[in-house]
Amino acid sequence: QVQLVESGGGLVQAGGSLRLSCVASGHTFSGYDVGWFRQAPGKRREFVASIMWSGDYLNYGDFVKGRFIISRDNAKNTAYLQMSSLKPEDTAVYYCAAWDPITGWGTEDDSWGQGTQVTVSS
């Protein structure tokens, strides 16, 4: 597995921007697909965005509506989530995840970070 640490969360006003970072260690990061998920209190986890190990394929949750951009820098073992036009409903703990593209997402071998809090005020 890959060890993941998220950072970059904080308090921002509606319409503002934040960039989240996910730093990986423990294994070859470039060989893993990466995704961002979020969870608000009392709600289920939501898929936010993902990017293939090669960077060829990017997927976004429907709620993003062009506001978020996922990227990665394999040389720095880091993935990013650039968020703009933030809304109060974006308030949640954001988690980074990584998985082996051979096995796919959703297994016990998936790696998860500890999460970073994003709070958007009105």
Side-chain angles (χ1 to χ4, degrees), residues 60-94:
Y60 295 96
D62 292 338
F63 66 88
V64 172
K65 299 180 180 179
R67 298 180 297 122
F68 295 180
I69 300 175
I70 187 171
S71 62
R72 65 189 299 167
D73 186 341
N74 289 340
K76 297 181 179 180
N77 291 336
T78 303
Y80 304 95
L81 183 68
Q82 178 65 52
M83 305 184 294
S84 61
S85 300
L86 285 165
K87 305 175 181 179
E89 49 264 45
D90 293 321
T91 296
V93 177
Y94 284 71

Side-chain angles (χ1 to χ4, degrees), residues 25-82:
S25 63
H27 204 69
T28 304
F29 180 68
S30 61
Y32 289 80
D33 294 348
V34 176
W36 287 93
F37 300 79
R38 71 184 188 184
Q39 187 168 20
K43 296 184 178 180
R44 65 180 61 184
R45 182 187 64 191
E46 291 183 305
F47 169 75
V48 177
S50 65
I51 184 170
M52 185 175 284
W53 65 270
S54 64
D56 290 335
Y57 297 97
L58 285 70
N59 292 305
Y60 295 96
D62 292 338
F63 66 88
V64 172
K65 299 180 180 179
R67 298 180 297 122
F68 295 180
I69 300 175
I70 187 171
S71 62
R72 65 189 299 167
D73 186 341
N74 289 340
K76 297 181 179 180
N77 291 336
T78 303
Y80 304 95
L81 183 68
Q82 178 65 52

Side-chain angles (χ1 to χ4, degrees), residues 1 45 97-112:
Q1 290 185 323
R45 182 187 64 191
W99 57 93
D100 190 334
I102 300 300
T103 58
W105 180 85
T107 74
E108 295 181 351
D109 293 327
D110 295 346
S111 299
W112 291 87

